Coordinates of all heavy atoms in Angstrom, one line a residue:
M1 N 6.4 13.8 19.8 CA 7.5 13.1 20.4 C 7.2 11.6 20.3 O 6.0 11.1 20.5 CB 7.7 13.5 21.8 CG 8.9 12.8 22.5 SD 9.3 13.3 24.1 CE 9.8 15.0 23.8
R2 N 8.1 10.8 20.0 CA 8.0 9.3 19.8 C 8.2 8.7 21.2 O 8.8 9.3 22.1 CB 9.0 8.8 18.8 CG 8.6 9.3 17.4 CD 9.7 9.0 16.4 NE 9.8 7.6 16.1 CZ 10.6 7.1 15.2 NH1 11.4 7.9 14.5 NH2 10.6 5.9 14.9
A3 N 7.9 7.4 21.3 CA 8.1 6.6 22.5 C 9.5 6.6 22.9 O 9.8 6.4 24.1 CB 7.5 5.2 22.3
N4 N 10.4 6.7 21.9 CA 11.9 6.6 22.3 C 12.4 8.0 22.7 O 13.6 8.1 22.9 CB 12.7 6.1 21.1 CG 12.6 6.9 19.9 OD1 12.1 8.0 19.9 ND2 13.2 6.5 18.8
G5 N 11.6 9.0 22.8 CA 12.0 10.3 23.3 C 12.4 11.3 22.2 O 12.8 12.4 22.5
K6 N 12.5 10.8 21.0 CA 12.9 11.7 19.9 C 11.7 12.4 19.2 O 10.6 11.9 19.2 CB 13.6 10.8 18.8 CG 14.9 10.2 19.3 CD 15.8 9.7 18.3 CE 16.9 9.0 18.9 NZ 18.2 9.4 18.5
H7 N 12.0 13.6 18.8 CA 10.9 14.3 18.1 C 10.8 13.9 16.6 O 11.8 13.6 16.0 CB 11.2 15.8 18.2 CG 11.1 16.4 19.6 ND1 9.9 16.9 20.0 CD2 12.0 16.5 20.6 CE1 10.1 17.3 21.3 NE2 11.3 17.1 21.6
V8 N 9.5 14.0 16.1 CA 9.3 13.8 14.7 C 8.6 15.0 14.2 O 7.9 15.7 15.0 CB 8.4 12.5 14.4 CG1 9.2 11.3 14.8 CG2 7.1 12.6 15.2
Y9 N 8.7 15.3 13.0 CA 8.1 16.6 12.4 C 7.2 16.2 11.2 O 7.6 15.4 10.4 CB 9.2 17.5 12.0 CG 10.1 17.9 13.2 CD1 11.3 17.3 13.5 CD2 9.7 19.0 14.0 CE1 12.1 17.6 14.6 CE2 10.5 19.3 15.1 CZ 11.6 18.7 15.4 OH 12.4 19.0 16.5
A10 N 6.1 16.9 11.2 CA 5.2 16.8 10.1 C 5.7 17.6 8.9 O 6.1 18.8 9.1 CB 3.8 17.2 10.5
E11 N 5.6 17.1 7.7 CA 6.0 17.8 6.5 C 4.8 18.4 5.8 O 5.0 19.2 4.9 CB 6.8 16.9 5.6 CG 8.1 16.5 6.1 CD 9.0 15.7 5.1 OE1 8.6 15.6 3.9 OE2 10.1 15.3 5.5
G12 N 3.6 18.1 6.2 CA 2.4 18.7 5.6 C 1.2 18.1 6.3 O 1.3 17.2 7.1
Y13 N 0.0 18.6 5.8 CA -1.2 18.0 6.3 C -2.3 18.2 5.2 O -2.2 19.1 4.4 CB -1.6 18.6 7.6 CG -2.1 20.0 7.6 CD1 -3.5 20.3 7.5 CD2 -1.2 21.1 7.6 CE1 -3.9 21.6 7.5 CE2 -1.7 22.4 7.5 CZ -3.0 22.6 7.5 OH -3.5 23.9 7.4
G14 N -3.4 17.5 5.4 CA -4.5 17.6 4.4 C -5.5 16.5 4.7 O -5.4 15.8 5.7
S15 N -6.4 16.4 3.8 CA -7.5 15.4 3.9 C -7.1 14.2 3.0 O -6.6 14.3 1.9 CB -8.8 15.9 3.4 OG -9.2 16.9 4.3
I16 N -7.4 13.0 3.5 CA -7.1 11.8 2.8 C -8.3 10.8 2.8 O -9.1 10.9 3.8 CB -5.8 11.0 3.3 CG1 -6.0 10.6 4.7 CG2 -4.6 11.8 3.0 CD1 -4.9 9.7 5.2
K17 N -8.5 10.1 1.8 CA -9.5 9.0 1.8 C -8.8 7.7 1.8 O -8.1 7.4 0.9 CB -10.4 9.1 0.5 CG -11.3 10.3 0.4 CD -11.8 10.4 -1.0 CE -13.3 10.1 -1.0 NZ -13.9 10.3 -2.4
I18 N -9.1 6.9 2.9 CA -8.5 5.6 3.0 C -9.5 4.6 2.4 O -10.6 4.5 3.0 CB -8.1 5.3 4.4 CG1 -7.2 6.4 5.0 CG2 -7.6 3.9 4.6 CD1 -6.9 6.2 6.5
P19 N -9.1 3.9 1.4 CA -10.0 2.9 0.9 C -10.1 1.7 1.8 O -9.0 1.3 2.3 CB -9.4 2.5 -0.5 CG -8.0 2.9 -0.4 CD -7.9 4.0 0.6
V20 N -11.3 1.3 2.2 CA -11.5 0.2 3.2 C -12.5 -0.8 2.6 O -13.4 -0.5 1.8 CB -11.9 0.7 4.5 CG1 -10.8 1.6 5.2 CG2 -13.2 1.5 4.4
M21 N -12.4 -2.0 3.1 CA -13.4 -3.0 2.9 C -14.3 -3.0 4.1 O -13.9 -3.1 5.2 CB -12.8 -4.4 2.8 CG -13.7 -5.5 2.3 SD -14.4 -5.2 0.7 CE -12.9 -5.5 -0.3
L22 N -15.6 -2.7 3.8 CA -16.6 -2.6 4.9 C -17.0 -3.9 5.4 O -16.7 -4.9 4.8 CB -17.8 -1.8 4.4 CG -17.5 -0.4 3.8 CD1 -18.8 0.2 3.3 CD2 -16.9 0.5 4.9
G23 N -17.5 -4.0 6.6 CA -17.9 -5.2 7.2 C -18.9 -6.0 6.4 O -19.0 -7.2 6.5
S24 N -19.7 -5.3 5.5 CA -20.7 -5.9 4.7 C -20.0 -6.6 3.5 O -20.7 -7.2 2.7 CB -21.7 -4.9 4.2 OG -21.0 -3.9 3.4
G25 N -18.7 -6.4 3.3 CA -18.0 -6.9 2.1 C -18.0 -5.9 1.0 O -17.3 -6.1 0.0
E26 N -18.6 -4.7 1.1 CA -18.6 -3.7 0.1 C -17.4 -2.8 0.3 O -16.7 -2.8 1.4 CB -19.9 -2.8 0.2 CG -21.1 -3.6 -0.1 CD -22.4 -2.7 0.1 OE1 -22.2 -1.5 -0.2 OE2 -23.4 -3.2 0.5
R27 N -17.0 -2.0 -0.7 CA -15.9 -1.1 -0.6 C -16.4 0.3 -0.3 O -17.5 0.7 -0.7 CB -15.2 -1.1 -1.9 CG -14.6 -2.5 -2.3 CD -14.0 -2.5 -3.6 NE -13.5 -3.8 -3.9 CZ -13.4 -4.3 -5.1 NH1 -13.8 -3.6 -6.1 NH2 -12.9 -5.6 -5.3
G28 N -15.6 1.0 0.5 CA -15.9 2.3 0.9 C -14.7 3.1 1.2 O -13.6 2.7 0.9
Y29 N -14.9 4.3 1.8 CA -13.8 5.1 2.2 C -13.9 5.6 3.7 O -15.0 5.8 4.1 CB -13.7 6.4 1.4 CG -13.4 6.2 -0.1 CD1 -14.3 6.1 -1.0 CD2 -12.0 6.0 -0.4 CE1 -14.0 5.9 -2.4 CE2 -11.7 5.8 -1.8 CZ -12.7 5.7 -2.7 OH -12.4 5.5 -4.0
L30 N -12.8 5.7 4.3 CA -12.7 6.4 5.6 C -12.0 7.7 5.4 O -10.9 7.8 5.0 CB -11.9 5.5 6.6 CG -11.7 6.1 8.0 CD1 -13.0 6.4 8.7 CD2 -10.8 5.2 8.8
L31 N -12.8 8.8 5.5 CA -12.2 10.2 5.3 C -11.6 10.7 6.5 O -12.2 10.7 7.6 CB -13.3 11.1 4.8 CG -12.9 12.6 4.6 CD1 -11.9 12.7 3.5 CD2 -14.1 13.4 4.4
I32 N -10.3 11.0 6.4 CA -9.5 11.6 7.5 C -9.2 13.0 7.1 O -8.5 13.3 6.1 CB -8.2 10.8 7.8 CG1 -8.6 9.3 8.0 CG2 -7.5 11.4 9.0 CD1 -9.4 9.1 9.3
Q33 N -9.7 14.0 7.9 CA -9.4 15.4 7.7 C -8.2 15.9 8.6 O -8.1 15.3 9.7 CB -10.6 16.2 7.9 CG -11.7 15.8 6.9 CD -13.0 16.6 7.2 OE1 -13.2 17.1 8.3 NE2 -13.9 16.6 6.2
R34 N -7.5 16.8 8.2 CA -6.3 17.4 8.9 C -5.3 16.3 9.3 O -4.8 16.2 10.4 CB -6.8 18.1 10.2 CG -7.7 19.3 9.9 CD -8.1 20.0 11.1 NE -8.2 19.1 12.2 CZ -9.0 19.4 13.3 NH1 -9.6 20.5 13.3 NH2 -9.0 18.5 14.3
A35 N -5.1 15.4 8.3 CA -4.1 14.3 8.6 C -2.7 14.9 8.4 O -2.4 15.7 7.5 CB -4.3 13.2 7.5
L36 N -1.8 14.5 9.3 CA -0.4 14.9 9.2 C 0.4 13.9 8.4 O 0.2 12.7 8.5 CB 0.2 15.0 10.6 CG -0.4 16.1 11.6 CD1 0.2 16.0 12.9 CD2 -0.3 17.5 11.0
H37 N 1.3 14.5 7.6 CA 2.2 13.6 6.8 C 3.6 13.6 7.6 O 4.3 14.7 7.6 CB 2.4 14.2 5.4 CG 3.4 13.4 4.6 ND1 3.3 12.1 4.4 CD2 4.5 13.8 4.0 CE1 4.3 11.7 3.7 NE2 5.1 12.7 3.4
V38 N 3.9 12.5 8.2 CA 5.1 12.3 9.0 C 5.9 11.2 8.4 O 5.7 10.0 8.8 CB 4.8 12.1 10.5 CG1 6.1 12.1 11.3 CG2 3.9 13.2 11.0
P39 N 6.7 11.4 7.4 CA 7.4 10.3 6.7 C 8.3 9.5 7.5 O 8.6 8.3 7.2 CB 8.1 11.0 5.5 CG 8.2 12.4 5.9 CD 7.1 12.7 6.8
T40 N 8.8 10.0 8.6 CA 9.7 9.2 9.5 C 9.0 8.4 10.5 O 9.6 7.6 11.2 CB 10.7 10.2 10.2 OG1 9.9 11.1 11.0 CG2 11.6 11.0 9.3
C41 N 7.7 8.5 10.6 CA 6.9 7.6 11.5 C 6.7 6.2 10.9 O 6.3 6.1 9.8 CB 5.6 8.3 11.8 SG 4.7 7.5 13.1
P42 N 7.1 5.2 11.6 CA 7.0 3.8 11.0 C 5.6 3.3 10.9 O 5.5 2.3 10.2 CB 7.8 3.0 12.0 CG 7.7 3.7 13.3 CD 7.6 5.2 13.0
S43 N 4.6 3.9 11.5 CA 3.3 3.4 11.4 C 2.3 4.5 11.1 O 2.6 5.7 11.5 CB 2.8 2.7 12.7 OG 3.6 1.6 12.9
N44 N 1.2 4.2 10.5 CA 0.1 5.2 10.3 C -0.8 5.1 11.6 O -1.2 4.1 12.0 CB -0.7 4.9 9.1 CG 0.1 5.1 7.8 OD1 0.9 6.1 7.7 ND2 0.0 4.2 6.9
L45 N -1.0 6.3 12.2 CA -1.8 6.3 13.4 C -3.1 7.1 13.2 O -3.1 8.1 12.4 CB -1.0 7.0 14.5 CG 0.3 6.4 14.8 CD1 1.1 7.3 15.9 CD2 0.2 5.0 15.3
L46 N -4.2 6.7 13.8 CA -5.5 7.4 13.8 C -5.9 7.8 15.2 O -5.7 7.0 16.1 CB -6.6 6.5 13.2 CG -6.5 6.1 11.7 CD1 -7.6 5.1 11.4 CD2 -6.7 7.3 10.9
S47 N -6.4 9.0 15.3 CA -6.9 9.4 16.6 C -8.3 9.0 16.8 O -9.2 9.4 16.0 CB -6.8 11.0 16.6 OG -7.5 11.5 17.7
V48 N -8.6 8.3 17.8 CA -10.0 7.9 18.1 C -10.8 9.2 18.4 O -12.0 9.3 18.0 CB -10.1 6.9 19.3 CG1 -11.5 6.7 19.8 CG2 -9.4 5.6 18.9
A49 N -10.2 10.1 19.1 CA -10.9 11.4 19.4 C -11.3 12.1 18.2 O -12.4 12.6 18.0 CB -10.1 12.2 20.3
Q50 N -10.4 12.2 17.2 CA -10.7 12.8 15.9 C -11.8 12.1 15.2 O -12.7 12.7 14.6 CB -9.5 13.0 15.1 CG -9.7 13.8 13.8 CD -8.5 14.1 13.0 OE1 -7.5 13.4 13.2 NE2 -8.6 14.9 12.0
L51 N -11.7 10.8 15.1 CA -12.8 10.0 14.5 C -14.2 10.3 15.1 O -15.1 10.5 14.3 CB -12.5 8.5 14.5 CG -11.3 8.0 13.7 CD1 -11.0 6.5 14.1 CD2 -11.6 8.1 12.2
T52 N -14.2 10.3 16.4 CA -15.5 10.5 17.0 C -16.0 12.0 16.9 O -17.2 12.3 16.8 CB -15.5 10.1 18.5 OG1 -14.5 10.8 19.2 CG2 -15.3 8.6 18.6
D53 N -15.0 12.9 16.8 CA -15.4 14.3 16.6 C -16.1 14.5 15.3 O -16.9 15.4 15.1 CB -14.1 15.2 16.6 CG -13.6 15.5 18.1 OD1 -14.3 15.1 19.0 OD2 -12.5 16.0 18.2
Y54 N -15.7 13.7 14.3 CA -16.3 13.8 12.9 C -17.5 12.9 12.8 O -18.0 12.7 11.7 CB -15.3 13.5 11.9 CG -14.3 14.6 11.6 CD1 -13.0 14.6 12.1 CD2 -14.8 15.8 11.0 CE1 -12.2 15.7 12.0 CE2 -13.9 16.9 10.8 CZ -12.6 16.8 11.3 OH -11.8 17.9 11.1
G55 N -18.0 12.3 13.9 CA -19.3 11.6 13.9 C -19.2 10.1 13.7 O -20.2 9.4 13.8
H56 N -18.0 9.6 13.6 CA -17.8 8.1 13.5 C -17.9 7.6 14.9 O -17.7 8.2 15.9 CB -16.5 7.8 12.9 CG -16.2 8.3 11.5 ND1 -17.0 8.1 10.4 CD2 -15.3 9.2 11.1 CE1 -16.5 8.7 9.4 NE2 -15.5 9.4 9.8
T57 N -18.3 6.3 15.0 CA -18.4 5.6 16.3 C -17.3 4.5 16.3 O -17.2 3.8 15.4 CB -19.7 4.9 16.5 OG1 -20.8 6.0 16.4 CG2 -19.8 4.2 17.8
V58 N -16.5 4.5 17.4 CA -15.4 3.5 17.5 C -15.8 2.6 18.7 O -16.1 3.1 19.8 CB -14.1 4.2 17.8 CG1 -13.0 3.2 17.9 CG2 -13.7 5.2 16.6
A59 N -15.8 1.3 18.4 CA -16.1 0.3 19.4 C -14.9 -0.6 19.6 O -14.6 -1.3 18.6 CB -17.4 -0.5 19.1
L60 N -14.3 -0.6 20.7 CA -13.2 -1.5 21.0 C -13.5 -2.5 22.1 O -14.2 -2.1 23.0 CB -11.9 -0.7 21.4 CG -11.5 0.4 20.4 CD1 -10.4 1.2 21.0 CD2 -11.1 -0.2 19.1
G61 N -13.1 -3.7 21.9 CA -13.3 -4.7 22.9 C -13.2 -6.1 22.3 O -12.9 -6.2 21.1
K62 N -13.6 -7.1 23.0 CA -13.4 -8.4 22.6 C -14.5 -8.8 21.5 O -14.3 -9.6 20.6 CB -13.5 -9.4 23.7 CG -12.3 -9.3 24.6 CD -12.4 -10.3 25.7 CE -11.2 -10.2 26.6 NZ -11.2 -11.2 27.7
D63 N -15.7 -8.2 21.6 CA -16.8 -8.5 20.7 C -16.8 -7.5 19.6 O -17.3 -6.4 19.8 CB -18.1 -8.5 21.5 CG -18.1 -9.6 22.5 OD1 -17.5 -10.7 22.3 OD2 -18.8 -9.4 23.6
R64 N -16.4 -7.9 18.4 CA -16.6 -7.2 17.2 C -16.1 -5.7 17.2 O -16.8 -4.8 17.1 CB -18.1 -7.2 16.8 CG -18.3 -7.0 15.3 CD -19.7 -7.2 14.9 NE -20.0 -6.4 13.7 CZ -20.7 -5.3 13.7 NH1 -21.3 -4.8 14.8 NH2 -20.9 -4.6 12.6
P65 N -14.8 -5.5 17.4 CA -14.2 -4.2 17.4 C -14.3 -3.6 16.0 O -14.2 -4.3 15.0 CB -12.7 -4.4 17.8 CG -12.4 -5.8 17.4 CD -13.7 -6.5 17.6
R66 N -14.7 -2.3 15.9 CA -15.1 -1.7 14.6 C -15.1 -0.2 14.7 O -15.1 0.4 15.8 CB -16.4 -2.2 14.2 CG -17.5 -1.7 15.0 CD -18.8 -2.5 14.8 NE -19.9 -2.0 15.7 CZ -20.1 -2.3 17.0 NH1 -19.2 -3.0 17.6 NH2 -21.1 -1.8 17.6
I67 N -15.1 0.4 13.5 CA -15.4 1.8 13.3 C -16.7 1.9 12.5 O -16.7 1.4 11.4 CB -14.3 2.6 12.6 CG1 -12.9 2.4 13.3 CG2 -14.6 4.0 12.4 CD1 -11.7 2.9 12.5
D68 N -17.7 2.5 13.0 CA -19.0 2.7 12.3 C -18.9 4.0 11.6 O -18.8 5.1 12.3 CB -20.2 2.6 13.2 CG -20.4 1.2 13.8 OD1 -20.1 0.2 13.1 OD2 -20.8 1.1 15.0
L69 N -19.0 4.0 10.3 CA -18.8 5.3 9.6 C -20.1 6.1 9.5 O -21.1 5.5 9.2 CB -18.3 5.0 8.1 CG -17.0 4.1 8.0 CD1 -16.7 3.9 6.6 CD2 -15.9 4.8 8.7
C70 N -20.0 7.4 9.7 CA -21.2 8.2 9.7 C -21.6 8.6 8.3 O -22.8 8.8 8.0 CB -21.0 9.5 10.5 SG -19.7 10.6 9.9
N71 N -20.7 8.6 7.3 CA -21.0 9.2 6.0 C -21.7 8.2 5.1 O -22.5 8.6 4.3 CB -19.7 9.7 5.3 CG -18.6 8.6 5.3 OD1 -18.7 7.6 6.0 ND2 -17.6 8.9 4.5
D72 N -21.5 6.9 5.3 CA -22.2 5.9 4.4 C -22.9 4.8 5.1 O -23.4 3.9 4.5 CB -21.3 5.4 3.3 CG -20.2 4.6 3.8 OD1 -20.1 4.4 5.0 OD2 -19.3 4.2 2.9
G73 N -22.8 4.8 6.5 CA -23.4 3.8 7.2 C -22.7 2.5 7.2 O -23.1 1.5 7.8
G74 N -21.5 2.5 6.7 CA -20.7 1.2 6.7 C -19.9 1.0 8.0 O -19.9 1.8 8.9
T75 N -19.3 -0.1 8.0 CA -18.5 -0.5 9.2 C -17.1 -1.0 8.8 O -17.1 -1.8 7.8 CB -19.2 -1.6 10.0 OG1 -20.5 -1.1 10.4 CG2 -18.4 -2.1 11.2
V76 N -16.1 -0.5 9.4 CA -14.7 -1.0 9.2 C -14.4 -1.9 10.4 O -14.4 -1.5 11.5 CB -13.7 0.1 9.1 CG1 -12.3 -0.4 8.9 CG2 -14.1 1.0 8.0
N77 N -14.2 -3.2 10.1 CA -13.8 -4.1 11.2 C -12.3 -4.0 11.6 O -11.5 -3.8 10.7 CB -14.1 -5.6 10.8 CG -15.6 -5.8 10.6 OD1 -16.4 -5.3 11.3 ND2 -15.9 -6.6 9.6
L78 N -12.0 -4.1 12.8 CA -10.7 -3.9 13.3 C -10.1 -5.3 13.8 O -10.9 -6.1 14.2 CB -10.7 -2.9 14.5 CG -11.2 -1.5 14.2 CD1 -11.3 -0.7 15.5 CD2 -10.4 -0.8 13.2
D79 N -8.8 -5.4 13.8 CA -8.1 -6.6 14.3 C -7.2 -6.1 15.4 O -6.7 -4.9 15.3 CB -7.3 -7.3 13.2 CG -8.2 -7.9 12.1 OD1 -9.2 -8.6 12.5 OD2 -8.0 -7.6 11.0
R80 N -6.8 -6.9 16.3 CA -5.9 -6.6 17.3 C -4.6 -7.3 17.0 O -4.5 -8.5 16.9 CB -6.3 -6.9 18.7 CG -5.4 -6.4 19.8 CD -6.0 -6.5 21.1 NE -5.0 -6.1 22.1 CZ -5.3 -5.8 23.4 NH1 -6.5 -6.0 23.8 NH2 -4.3 -5.4 24.2
T81 N -3.5 -6.5 16.9 CA -2.1 -7.0 16.7 C -1.3 -6.6 17.9 O -1.0 -5.4 18.0 CB -1.5 -6.5 15.4 OG1 -2.4 -6.8 14.3 CG2 -0.2 -7.1 15.2
N82 N -1.0 -7.5 18.8 CA -0.3 -7.2 20.1 C -1.2 -6.2 20.8 O -2.3 -6.4 21.1 CB 1.1 -6.7 19.9 CG 1.9 -7.8 19.2 OD1 1.8 -9.0 19.6 ND2 2.8 -7.5 18.3
R83 N -0.7 -5.0 21.0 CA -1.4 -3.9 21.8 C -2.0 -2.9 20.9 O -2.4 -1.8 21.4 CB -0.5 -3.3 22.8 CG 0.0 -4.4 23.8 CD 0.7 -3.8 25.0 NE -0.1 -2.9 25.7 CZ 0.3 -2.1 26.7 NH1 1.5 -2.0 27.0 NH2 -0.6 -1.3 27.3
L84 N -2.0 -3.1 19.6 CA -2.5 -2.1 18.6 C -3.8 -2.6 17.9 O -3.8 -3.8 17.5 CB -1.5 -1.8 17.6 CG -0.2 -1.1 18.1 CD1 0.8 -0.9 16.9 CD2 -0.5 0.2 18.7
W85 N -4.7 -1.8 17.7 CA -5.9 -2.1 16.8 C -5.5 -1.7 15.4 O -5.0 -0.6 15.2 CB -7.1 -1.3 17.3 CG -7.6 -1.7 18.6 CD1 -7.4 -1.0 19.8 CD2 -8.3 -2.9 19.0 NE1 -7.9 -1.7 20.8 CE2 -8.5 -2.8 20.3 CE3 -8.8 -3.9 18.2 CZ2 -9.2 -3.8 21.0 CZ3 -9.5 -4.9 18.9 CH2 -9.7 -4.9 20.2
T86 N -5.8 -2.6 14.5 CA -5.4 -2.4 13.1 C -6.5 -2.7 12.1 O -7.5 -3.3 12.5 CB -4.2 -3.3 12.7 OG1 -4.6 -4.6 12.8 CG2 -3.0 -3.1 13.6
F87 N -6.4 -2.1 10.9 CA -7.3 -2.5 9.8 C -6.5 -2.5 8.6 O -5.5 -1.8 8.5 CB -8.6 -1.7 9.8 CG -8.3 -0.3 9.3 CD1 -8.4 0.1 8.0 CD2 -8.0 0.7 10.3 CE1 -8.2 1.4 7.6 CE2 -7.8 2.0 9.9 CZ -7.9 2.4 8.5
S88 N -6.9 -3.2 7.6 CA -6.2 -3.3 6.3 C -6.9 -2.4 5.3 O -8.0 -2.8 4.9 CB -6.1 -4.7 5.8 OG -5.4 -5.5 6.7
P89 N -6.3 -1.3 4.8 CA -6.9 -0.6 3.7 C -7.0 -1.4 2.5 O -6.1 -2.3 2.2 CB -5.9 0.6 3.5 CG -5.2 0.7 4.8 CD -5.1 -0.7 5.3
S90 N -8.0 -1.3 1.7 CA -8.2 -2.0 0.5 C -7.8 -1.2 -0.7 O -8.4 -0.2 -1.0 CB -9.7 -2.4 0.3 OG -9.9 -2.9 -0.9
A91 N -6.7 -1.5 -1.3 CA -6.2 -0.8 -2.5 C -7.0 -1.0 -3.7 O -6.8 -0.3 -4.7 CB -4.7 -1.2 -2.7
A92 N -8.0 -1.8 -3.7 CA -8.8 -2.1 -4.9 C -9.9 -1.1 -5.1 O -10.6 -1.2 -6.1 CB -9.4 -3.5 -4.7
V93 N -10.1 -0.1 -4.2 CA -11.2 0.8 -4.4 C -10.8 1.9 -5.4 O -9.8 2.5 -5.2 CB -11.6 1.4 -3.0 CG1 -12.7 2.4 -3.2 CG2 -12.0 0.3 -2.1
A94 N -11.6 2.1 -6.4 CA -11.3 3.2 -7.4 C -11.6 4.5 -6.8 O -12.6 4.7 -6.0 CB -12.1 3.0 -8.6
Q95 N -10.8 5.5 -7.1 CA -11.1 6.9 -6.5 C -12.1 7.7 -7.3 O -12.1 7.7 -8.5 CB -9.8 7.6 -6.4 CG -8.8 6.9 -5.5 CD -8.3 7.7 -4.4 OE1 -8.8 8.8 -4.1 NE2 -7.4 7.2 -3.7

């Protein structure tokens, strides 16, 4: 259910690799398993609980908000936009 009270429906699910620029300046991937494909949702959302279930560490706060990746030891830096934590996927990473 969306914040406006309307229901949204997933059209599928699967695993995705999100290309990211790591805090070190290197390129890497954030692997998301069991991701839902909801084409009517205006934003892509990540579950902090799911990230930590898969071994990643999420640190939110004023000092260096980030996702520490368990698979390659990299870090994805986060930015705050209004009341949302965001990061910019890097489309430059080859698959």
Side-chain angles (χ1 to χ4, degrees):
M1 183 174 293
R2 294 168 74 174
N4 64 4
K6 299 199 184 231
H7 289 273
V8 294
Y9 298 95
E11 290 188 6
Y13 73 96
S15 295
I16 58 171
K17 287 169 112 177
I18 301 172
V20 294
M21 189 64 67
L22 303 175
S24 64
E26 297 179 34
R27 297 176 183 150
Y29 291 101
L30 176 58
L31 177 64
I32 305 297
Q33 298 176 339
R34 297 183 328 205
L36 295 175
H37 175 59
V38 184
T40 58
C41 189
S43 298
N44 295 316
L45 305 174
L46 290 175
S47 164
V48 171
Q50 186 178 11
L51 289 171
T52 58
D53 285 349
Y54 283 103
H56 304 299
T57 302
V58 179
L60 302 175
K62 292 182 181 181
D63 298 328
R64 205 172 152 252
R66 66 196 181 279
I67 302 170
D68 293 324
L69 305 179
C70 66
N71 53 347
D72 64 5
T75 298
V76 177
N77 293 323
L78 302 173
D79 296 309
R80 186 168 176 168
T81 304
N82 298 319
R83 298 186 65 190
L84 297 176
W85 294 102
T86 63
F87 69 93
S88 298
S90 171
V93 178
Q95 301 237 9

